């Protein structure tokens, strides 16, 4: 590239962009790690975006109607940190930039949601940001329809790299956005033709513009270093009704000796080359030094939105009090006051009626009473609506001509759905839940992990949660998935045993502010076990005594979900033989772990034989069987030790030995 | 559809296809579950494929040079079972078809690899089959280059539905196949416009032909019920050098009252409608009855390839003895005789030299000696070649003009890579291994699970296996992933502590015939701990005593991977205080679990305090801490209880308290 010509063509723009490049080089050099090339390549696009288009106010970073900027290519984190620092976000001090990638700094290797204002989502695992963005844009559409264009009217901008576009999740995101015609979603493709292993051609020759067009996108191709072209492209993209992809031809590590090479992707720390690059830029200042003139220009950009924001505040104040309250409440993730009473009423009704239903149906019964009082819920399913029981009568189908619709047909896109749900929650004003089969947790895993890491309360409705699936066979029968969810930090894994526990699980999931929930629900019908109505949410303690021993307590049977009724039957068998048996229902291990020692000891006292029954892998159960005052010689597990099989559910339970009789035998063998 | 017109146009073809439709209706009705619509819609395509193109011999289903047929839309399993039964595969008896979806039958709900001949891979989780197929086609290319067109020259055919094409993995598969110009891969898209939730438009409006063209595919669009058009399309597809997609416009549940509806996707069991559909077909026979004339036609199709196969046997016999042996050995998954001696020699050399290297580098050192003696290995990485250390000097890069190349640049496609690796192993003659970061196990999970379920020895090289990753932060730091892998049935999770253990792990992985392996390897350097050369593969026992207590044994420290050296340092601290401490290295839990009680007791005797140290989640460790003769009051775990952070690795180990000092303190607190 002819850096001198670029400088000369747009000198003021050039120096503003150079500030990003210089800060990036300095921060990476100081950390001796990081990714220099992407911020250096995309500095021009980002500068024009922030300067001329992005609606934001650096002094009010939480302004609900701000445009969202998502750095899907999260390894280029110094691009974002530079922008936030330069435009005057208060928390993004120069000190933080200097501590790039160090312990305790908000400037992590990849942008971490919650670390700093202006980081809208955690990125780094490629493809996640662009898929989150679909959720952001959906949430905007839904809220615009509900509250009006005067208070909700913003864009979602994304920078995605070749890595994002090669990941399968990007296809799910792109086609979903195209289907829903999310016109306010604008994606910049950093078309620099370089990946870690070499040039893109080494592994990919996809015609990306054609691919996006096939998905119903508007596509514009530009020189990503020409500020005039960038400006024109964004202006154009904002006018189209389709989502837009702006293909930006760029040079990775622009102006550095490593430009246009794989080396340029990584940490450029050579002092001489760094100095040479800066000299080429005309950047004559020391490390981390930004001259006042340029910093002032950037701060003006950061303040550009202040007037618009003030006008927005006025418009917002013009909404009815109820609308304002609703908007603010949902944004703060506060549950409506009515939620608790609604759940209690349902629990009472269920305890009295004691229906025998699958917990996926229980979940639908709960949603039928919740959705009408929580306008912030947005439901959906990855093409299993009737099986996941996720759609209730009042939601309405979200579509191009029905933006108020709160139910999304995600199609066969578990991963894209999970990421979009995260995006909606991150956008604010939405509580997203969505369903698939529990075994397809596997497909959604990368986004589910990010919900836990980001501390956001996305709800994953996972039905068909064991061999109870039956004839569809082992590909559709989760075995290790409870262990997977439970092993993930900051996640609630609920496996309710009946409709009452399902209602309790939903109440916790929908009042959680910083923990996602997985609801593992059955395909097969289960009896109501909680037939005595309790106002208290017993599931909130994670585990509790469902049935006490009537004879002298010799055994404790622990179980979750569909196996709690198996445990109850086993108890009946044992008590009939005079063996006092307690049944402990454990709908949520994580919550039980949070209880104090005294409560845990009350539920699981030392002494009795302990048998756990769960139609899944044993992994993790020893925590409760042999740990927690238990004894290896007095403990056993009844469950799966391999994959399932294809046959009717009741046959499978019998063949795999997950029966009341087997549990009772196991207890007796240990007495 | 005008069924009468279709019948009249091609009466003989019609009745052959009707046999598939009738068997499907009968089997689903008998099982009272399953998916009728897809086999009924794609019967014409399948009939023409088997009749006129597929190179196979039903009496020799393992013929290595057969064409492969992969039913990616696995829910339509009755299509495949019908074809196998009709063409005369010996194991696919009518009895098996009648027992569709029942316990013990080979006719599972979804096709299960290993259940019956002619099932080339397990499908059901959507998108997997088409992604496996890329691996089949790659394996064919590599082996054709090695052995010549006379003995390796076959096609890979796939039937994929809308679900397969919506899943992100299909994009990874399609773009990889396009990049590698896999001309012998031919995909039929069952374009029936129906998914479970409704018409495809409900969730997707992708222009699929345009999308495939953007990925470098040849696309043909036809009426999927016109046998002449189907034949012509396949003939054309076989001549192009690009992979081909044949878009087949079809009617789901053709000729049934539920035709062209979502209901038609599922189990069509209504007796009257079933009879009406059969009458429309002109199918006048009873349930499961196929008239001799039609069965004979189908059996002739099944025998069509016999002559060609005999000719192939002759050609194969014409290869040099060494080539024949190599070919047969690799197909049987037999390791070369030299492998054991080669590993032993490397172990000796390492034990003597005691280098300090990261285990990802150790893995490369092992591969450098293995790849030259195992021509069946095919390596690769998802764009992290230099970081995963997966490429060795001799492999050569696989490319359009270098089909002998055994190293594949998979691009940023972890999921597609895992599925393609499975495909290569399933094809036969290849042992595939491929790398990414351990945390991106999440992206590859669905295919990794299928490797376990299918019992195939794919090798997943997962580097950067803990917070040892350092500055890249929590998105790149696995925490729960060891638990995830260990919870999965039939999978070896290796976490070697040094180069010697890494060599042992590779030896096990490359001699395994029915279990996939995960190698969790470090980014950071580790000392050689196995400095005393042992001929025996100690890792094959899963866990073993690495260092015995010199004083009276009061404590056992268990550890894996990078924490084994931490354990050794803790042992030194404790022994210096007179506290006899044994260190047990546990490179593979699953293998340790397979050992007999006597050996396990020898390694983990009752009595001493037990502390485990691993830079991951505790989930599962209680099996060894409090179970297996342990005691809750004398056990502790030093590891992670949340996500990681962004900082240099040594800072993270210190801050998260995973240090020799912390381990020693923990032991002392329990004494």
């Amino acid at each position: 590239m002819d850096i001198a010509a670029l400088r000369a063509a747009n000198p003021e723009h050039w120096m503003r962009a150079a500030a990003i490049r210089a800060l990036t080089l300095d921060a990476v050099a100081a950390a001796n790690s990081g990714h220099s090339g992407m911020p250096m390549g995309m500095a021009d696009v980002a500068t024009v975006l922030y300067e001329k288009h992005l609606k934001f106010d650096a002094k009010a970073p939480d302004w609900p109607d701000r445009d969202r900027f998502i750095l899907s290519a999260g390894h280029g984190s110094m691009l974002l940190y530079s922008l936030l620092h330069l435009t005057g976000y208060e928390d993004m001090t120069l000190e933080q930039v200097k501590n790039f990638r160090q312990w305790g700094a908000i400037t992590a290797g990849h942008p971490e949601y919650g670390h700093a204002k202006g980081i809208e989502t955690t990125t780094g695992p490629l493809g996640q940001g662009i898929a989150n963005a679909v959720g952001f844009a959906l949430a905007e559409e839904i809220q615009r329809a509900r509250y009006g264009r005067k208070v909700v009217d913003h864009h979602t901008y994304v920078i995605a790299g070749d890595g994002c576009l090669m990941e399968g999740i990007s296809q799910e995101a792109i086609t979903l956005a195209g289907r829903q015609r999310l016109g306010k979603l604008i994606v910049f493709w950093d078309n620099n033709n370089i990946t870690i292993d070499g040039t893109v051609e080494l592994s990919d020759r996809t015609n990306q513009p054609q691919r996006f067009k096939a998905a119903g996108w508007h596509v514009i191709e530009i020189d990503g270093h020409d500020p005039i072209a960038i400006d024109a492209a964004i202006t154009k993209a904002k006018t189209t009704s389709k989502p837009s992809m702006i293909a930006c031809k760029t040079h990775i590590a622009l102006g550095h000796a490593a430009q246009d090479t794989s080396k340029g992707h990584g940490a450029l720390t050579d002092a001489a080359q760094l100095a040479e690059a800066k000299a080429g830029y005309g950047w004559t200042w020391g490390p981390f030094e930004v001259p006042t003139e340029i910093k002032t220009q950037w701060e003006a950009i950061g303040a550009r939105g202040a007037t618009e924001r003030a006008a927005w505040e006025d418009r917002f104040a013009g909404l009815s009090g109820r609308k304002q309250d609703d908007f603010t409440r949902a944004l703060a993730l506060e549950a409506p006051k009515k939620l608790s009473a609604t759940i209690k009423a349902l629990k009472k009704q269920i305890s009295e009626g004691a229906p025998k239903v699958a917990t996926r149906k229980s979940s639908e019964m709960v949603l039928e009473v919740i959705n009408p009082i929580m306008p912030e819920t947005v439901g959906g399913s990855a093409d299993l609506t009737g099986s996941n029981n996720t759609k209730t009568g009042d939601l309405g189908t979200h579509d191009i001509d029905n933006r108020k619709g709160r139910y999304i047909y995600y199609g066969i896109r578990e991963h894209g759905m999970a990421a979009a749900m995260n995006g909606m929650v991150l956008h604010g004003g939405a509580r997203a839940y969505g369903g698939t089969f529990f075994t397809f947790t596997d497909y959604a895993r990368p986004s589910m992990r990010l919900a836990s890491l980001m501390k956001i309360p996305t709800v994953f409705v996972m039905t068909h949660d064991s061999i109870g699936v039956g004839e569809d066979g082992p590909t559709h029968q989760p075995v290790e998935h409870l262990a997977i969810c439970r092993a993930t930090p900051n996640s609630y894994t609920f496996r309710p045993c009946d409709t009452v526990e399902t209602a309790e699980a939903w109440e916790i999931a929908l009042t959680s502010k910083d923990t996602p929930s997985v609801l593992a629900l059955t395909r097969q019908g289960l009896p109501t076990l909680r037939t005595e109505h309790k106002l208290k949410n017993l599931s909130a303690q994670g585990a509790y005594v469902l049935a006490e021993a009537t004879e002298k307590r010799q055994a404790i049977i622990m179980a979750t979900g569909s196996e709690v009724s198996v445990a109850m039957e086993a108890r009946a068998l044992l008590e009939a033989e005079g063996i006092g048996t307690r049944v402990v229902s454990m709908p949520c291990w994580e919550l039980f772990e949070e209880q104090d020692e005294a409560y845990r000891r009350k539920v699981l006292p030392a002494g009795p034989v302990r048998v756990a029954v769960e139609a899944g892998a044993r992994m993790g159960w020893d925590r409760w069987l042999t740990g927690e005052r238990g004894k290896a010689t007095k403990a056993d597990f009844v469950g799966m030790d391999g994959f399932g099989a294809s046959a009717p559910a009741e046959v499978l339970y019998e063949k795999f030995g997950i029966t009341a009789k087997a549990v009772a035998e196991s207890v007796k063998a240990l007495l």
Side-chain angles (χ1 to χ4, degrees), chain A residues 155 183 186 218 220 232-240 242 244 246:
Chain A
H155 286 85
I186 298 172
H218 177 73
I220 310 170
I234 302 175
T235 301
K236 172 72 186 163
K238 284 156 81 175
T239 68
T240 67
K242 296 178 179 180
S244 292
I246 304 176

Side-chain angles (χ1 to χ4, degrees), chain A residues 625-649:
Chain A
L625 287 169
T626 60
E628 200 79 4
R629 292 164 302 278
K631 262 191 166 173
T633 50
K634 295 180 73 177
D636 197 9
F637 175 74
V638 175
M640 299 292 292
D641 61 2
F643 292 106
S646 183

Side-chain angles (χ1 to χ4, degrees), chain A residues 438 465-468 477-483 486 495 560 562-563 612-621 637-644 653 656 658:
Chain A
F438 191 32
D465 70 345
S466 74
I467 52 168
Q477 292 164 356
V479 169
E480 68 274 40
H481 299 81
L482 287 166
R486 288 167 179 158
R495 191 161 186 255
T560 73
S562 42
E563 284 70 68
V613 52
E614 184 171 81
R618 179 174 181 145
M619 170 77 70
W621 271 105
F637 175 74
V638 175
M640 299 292 292
D641 61 2
F643 292 106
Y653 270 89
F656 286 114
I658 304 174

